[in-house]
Amino acid sequence: MTRLKGYGGKVLRVDLTHRTYRAEELDPSLAKAFIGGRGLNAYRLYWEVPPGVDPLGPENKLMIATGPLVGFPHGLGSRLNVTSRSPLTGLLGDSNAGTHFSEEMKFAGYDQIIIEGRSERPVYLYITESGVEFMDAEGLWGFTVSQTHEAIRHELGDQRVQVGAVGPAAENLVKFAGVFFNVYRAAGRTGMGTVLASKNVKAIAVRGDGYIEAENVDELIKVIDEMLRRIYENPQYWPRRIMGTSRVLMAGQRLGFLPGRHFQDPVVDYAYDVSGERLAREYNVKVRACSAGCALPCARFFMIKRGPLAGLMGEGPEYEPLGGFTVRVGNRDLDRALKIILKVADYGMDAITTSEVIAWLMELRQRGEITDEEAGVKLEWGNPDTIEELVDMIAYRRGIGKVLAEGVKRASEMLNRGKDIAFHVKGLEMIQADPRALKGYGLGFAVASRGADHLRSEPFVEVEDDPELGKKMFGEPEAAMRLGVKGKGKLINYFEDLNAIVDSFESCKNTAENMLILDFDMAARAYTAITGIHVTESEMREAGMRIVNIERAYLVREGVRRSHDRLPKRFLEEPLRSGPAKGHVIELDVMLDEYYDVRGWTRDGVPRRSTLLRLGLKEVAMDLEARGIKLED
């Protein structure tokens, strides 16, 4: 089989049970249909992980994949996707991280790594072009993420080796533990680290000395030059470079979508004190890129310069952990929040889910449904000692932490309390944004294939509040108005398709999608120049639709229907009490109907047979029908 230009060319299968591995050639037709990264992983998950598999059993598989842009100096960064059946949701588990690991993996010749079975003893995998070594990790078990990272580099005697590791939370089977690359770069969502630890794998180290070729170098240089020009000319370049996503906190204050005290306060009187603007002025000491080939290095390194925590330093934080451990839990103390955020990452936990379970517990206390004695801590909003103690209890499953370590959905079921304020969709906790003030985002949370998630759609244009833009892009002025309803189905369809492409190219969403650098046309031109396979703009969008639909088919196979595409009751029935969106709830059903119609799904959220056939997913349609799932034409 001829190696497709732009790809490493191999799929590496690692059998932990028998301590064997083999490298398979990447099928070019599969690469064209699903592009790479998220798309390739979704395909493998559908066909190789049967329904009902125990997420923490040896039958589950964990996949890591890069994309066709990785390894080229295009300015959009390099990322990877980690995919498996989620122990948190029991459904599609998937998480994306920007990291040098992705380039190193590709230079070792691998587009995808598939980890199967379970090791008898703790190991870490050392992967090179020559193959896989199963390294003893007994001595690493119990180490934090940063300790593991340094220990492996020291043992291998190689400071350039790239490492993805899990922390003690994953070892303790906290259901929302992630895989952390380069210490700080988290594939944090849906418990992918928990799956890796359940296989007795502490880390994966990779080293590659190969190279990547493009079919049409001159055309690729033209495409890259145009992408770089768009990046540098974009008015968001400097704000993003200075503050990264931490700038969203003050935007949330201005637009009234902050998750203050567990989505009770959409605006707070201390927003600046915990903002990205304050971090930039008083704490940040440098910017850095999370991967090579990035023209907009937005990761920041901070240091606390005075007070009891003087000298504490680390990378970040991004908006999600920043908002989670300040406004969501009512904490005004930025220094303590930074310390807690570093601890959560070093334990290897998802900051969004961790902040939700703590905020949920605090609201239970506010409502008188749990006592301090029962919780084992003094539960009061914003108390940093309480927040830090709960983080420790969750990571090591101590006391009430054993319940919270299951995620908010299961925790509410185990205690049989607070189910109405357990803020998740399909078992995945909501991000730090109130959908009553961002209605397109709310629809995106409801239908996202991995649960309450903004990154599957990220419909940022609605924040513009520009009716002319909505009319131009979707024929509906309200589509680009954050409190509008009409046109949101079209909005989410478009950006879901685009983000499936961005995730499968494995480029940075903050730049490629948020700044509209990599639209369908640009992606088609880049893919054509890299591979030599001519792809049109419409064919590129169709590839995005194919990825979205195979992920939905996986969910439908697992029993997901319209009734699962819901938001928690608070957002549907309780009007916002203050802020610019005061009085608003989210009109989900109207938007859902439009979304399903545009998507080519039934009103129950099942892809029509004609939709799957049009996208080349005939075998998926046949598989669903063979399992007794009736598909309408």
Side-chain angles (χ1 to χ4, degrees):
M1 196 179 294
T2 304
R3 174 182 166 185
L4 191 60
K5 292 283 180 65
Y7 290 86
K10 291 183 287 187
V11 175
L12 179 66
R13 286 188 185 274
V14 181
D15 181 343
L16 294 165
T17 304
H18 301 97
R19 290 205 168 204
T20 60
Y21 66 89
R22 70 178 189 274
E24 303 170 351
E25 292 185 2
L26 176 68
D27 182 346
S29 64
L30 193 63
K32 182 186 176 186
F34 293 94
I35 306 297
R38 174 181 154 191
L40 281 181
N41 282 357
Y43 175 87
R44 302 279 186 198
L45 185 72
Y46 186 91
W47 289 112
E48 296 193 16
V49 179
V53 159
D54 177 2
L56 301 181
E59 297 81 13
N60 198 10
K61 299 185 181 184
L62 184 135
M63 291 151 279
I64 302 173
T66 69
L69 273 184
V70 171
F72 293 107
H74 45 73
L76 297 177
S78 297
R79 302 181 72 87
L80 52 75
N81 268 65
V82 186
T83 307
S84 187
R85 183 177 171 87
S86 167
L88 179 65
T89 68
L91 298 169
L92 187 154
D94 185 59
S95 200
N96 178 285
T99 165
H100 298 286
F101 188 105
S102 60
E103 296 137 359
E104 206 73 21
M105 174 180 158
K106 196 163 174 183
F107 292 149
Y110 306 115
D111 299 295
Q112 192 173 34
I113 299 170
I114 304 173
I115 300 173
E116 305 171 342
R118 174 185 287 158
S119 173
E120 282 190 5
R121 299 186 305 277
V123 296
Y124 75 87
L125 306 177
Y126 180 37
I127 297 173
T128 66
E129 293 165 85
S130 302
V132 181
E133 292 184 56
F134 297 83
M135 309 291 285
D136 179 24
E138 294 273 7
L140 301 178
W141 215 249
F143 276 20
T144 64
V145 168
S146 59
Q147 289 169 339
T148 304
H149 186 265
E150 285 310 307
I152 289 176
R153 285 189 163 191
H154 179 74
E155 179 171 276
L156 297 176
D158 184 355
Q159 289 300 305
R160 288 183 55 201
V161 71
Q162 299 302 314
V163 179
V166 302
E171 297 168 11
N172 296 324
L173 300 183
V174 172
K175 297 292 172 51
F176 44 88
V179 183
F180 284 66
F181 299 88
N182 306 113
V183 180
Y184 298 110
R185 311 309 303 177
R189 305 232 73 190
T190 68
M192 297 299 90
T194 317
V195 174
L196 196 61
S198 77
K199 296 181 176 300
N200 268 330
V201 176
K202 179 66 177 175
I204 304 169
V206 64
R207 192 76 157 87
D209 293 314
Y211 58 90
I212 301 298
E213 293 181 291
E215 181 67 28
N216 189 335
V217 175
D218 291 340
E219 182 58 27
L220 181 59
I221 289 173
K222 288 181 186 175
V223 173
I224 288 175
D225 282 347
E226 186 171 341
M227 287 196 287
L228 291 172
R229 181 182 58 76
R230 288 187 184 184
I231 293 170
Y232 291 125
E233 288 181 353
N234 195 293
Q236 295 185 43
Y237 180 86
W238 281 108
R240 286 182 179 275
R241 178 161 178 156
I242 294 169
M243 290 182 282
T245 59
S246 69
R247 72 197 185 107
V248 174
L249 198 142
M250 287 303 289
Q253 172 79 354
R254 188 175 69 254
L255 300 176
F257 64 73
L258 290 178
R261 291 189 312 132
H262 205 217
F263 296 93
Q264 297 181 87
D265 307 322
V267 294
V268 298
D269 62 6
Y270 57 93
Y272 174 76
D273 296 338
V274 296
S275 67
E277 282 78 356
R278 184 177 176 214
L279 281 166
R281 190 169 69 86
E282 300 180 27
Y283 293 77
N284 295 349
V285 293
K286 65 177 292 187
V287 295
R288 59 187 290 183
C290 63
S291 61
C294 173
L296 203 173
C298 65
R300 289 132 287 111
F301 213 81
F302 74 84
M303 184 171 70
I304 297 176
K305 299 170 184 171
R306 57 184 69 86
L309 295 176
L312 185 73
M313 62 180 72
E315 185 179 309
E318 300 302 335
Y319 169 64
E320 291 300 331
L322 180 65
F325 292 103
T326 57
V327 293
R328 191 166 189 151
V329 293
N331 175 27
R332 299 165 179 257
D333 188 333
L334 182 57
D335 286 10
R336 292 296 300 277
L338 292 173
K339 182 188 177 193
I340 292 166
I341 289 166
L342 290 181
K343 178 175 278 193
V344 169
D346 218 19
Y347 286 157
M349 298 194 292
D350 176 12
I352 298 173
T353 294
T354 307
S355 61
E356 164 59 18
V357 294
I358 292 173
W360 171 77
L361 192 68
M362 288 180 168
E363 188 170 355
L364 274 188
R365 178 68 179 85
Q366 175 189 315
R367 301 202 315 185
E369 296 182 31
I370 195 169
T371 64
D372 292 347
E373 292 71 25
E374 188 179 2
V377 291
K378 186 174 177 55
L379 290 171
E380 57 184 4
W381 290 110
N383 185 329
D385 293 333
T386 297
I387 299 164
E388 189 169 349
E389 188 173 355
L390 283 170
V391 167
D392 293 336
M393 293 167 74
I394 294 167
Y396 292 97
R397 284 185 170 270
R398 295 198 302 257
I400 193 73
K402 187 175 181 180
V403 176
L404 301 182
E406 294 294 314
V408 77
K409 178 176 183 289
R410 282 202 191 96
S412 67
E413 292 167 352
M414 291 167 71
L415 296 181
N416 196 26
R417 280 169 262 180
K419 293 178 184 175
D420 60 319
I421 56 167
F423 295 147
H424 69 90
V425 177
K426 303 185 186 78
L428 184 68
E429 290 74 10
M430 289 176 58
I431 67 159
Q432 324 297 352
D434 194 314
R436 290 170 290 188
L438 294 168
K439 298 190 179 183
Y441 275 87
L443 175 60
F445 297 167
V447 299
S449 59
R450 65 176 184 175
D453 171 50
H454 60 304
L455 294 172
R456 285 309 207 232
S457 53
E458 188 77 302
F460 65 93
V461 298
E462 76 169 357
V463 180
E464 299 290 330
D465 270 334
D466 182 349
E468 290 302 318
L469 180 61
K471 191 173 180 180
K472 178 182 175 184
M473 290 188 71
F474 305 106
E476 295 282 0
E478 290 185 29
M481 300 175 72
R482 62 193 176 86
L483 299 178
V485 174
K486 290 180 67 176
K488 292 300 168 77
K490 295 177 183 175
L491 173 80
I492 296 304
N493 267 265
Y494 179 88
F495 281 107
E496 278 189 334
D497 295 343
L498 182 58
N499 280 312
I501 293 301
V502 171
D503 286 338
S504 299
F505 269 87
E506 293 300 349
S507 53
C508 173
K509 199 164 289 173
N510 282 333
T511 308
E513 192 259 2
N514 281 189
M515 294 162 63
L516 268 184
I517 307 300
L518 192 74
D519 54 22
F520 292 113
D521 176 59
M522 185 69 84
R525 289 168 54 197
Y527 195 82
T528 300
I530 290 170
T531 65
I533 299 173
H534 182 70
V535 175
T536 65
E537 178 180 354
S538 61
E539 288 172 331
M540 186 56 66
R541 178 159 188 188
E542 192 171 278
M545 294 178 190
R546 186 176 300 116
I547 294 163
V548 171
N549 273 273
I550 198 169
E551 289 180 342
R552 185 67 180 191
Y554 175 86
L555 297 180
V556 166
R557 196 180 72 180
E558 299 290 335
V560 169
R561 299 290 187 274
R562 183 188 183 110
S563 61
H564 299 86
D565 294 338
R566 303 300 298 171
L567 292 172
K569 183 179 174 182
R570 172 164 295 169
F571 307 102
L572 301 174
E573 298 182 7
E574 298 179 25
L576 275 169
R577 295 185 299 197
S578 59
K582 180 180 179 181
H584 278 268
V585 294
I586 183 164
E587 300 87 341
L588 182 61
D589 282 313
V590 176
M591 295 191 290
L592 262 184
D593 287 343
E594 181 191 329
Y595 172 83
Y596 289 151
D597 285 345
V598 177
R599 189 52 85 196
W601 297 352
T602 68
R603 288 296 171 98
D604 200 28
V606 177
R608 296 182 184 278
R609 183 187 296 105
S610 56
T611 300
L612 296 177
L613 297 185
R614 178 171 56 82
L615 296 172
L617 297 173
K618 179 181 177 181
E619 292 181 347
V620 171
M622 292 171 62
D623 180 68
L624 291 175
E625 291 183 322
R627 296 176 186 279
I629 298 170
K630 180 176 173 52
L631 299 180
E632 296 181 15
D633 288 325

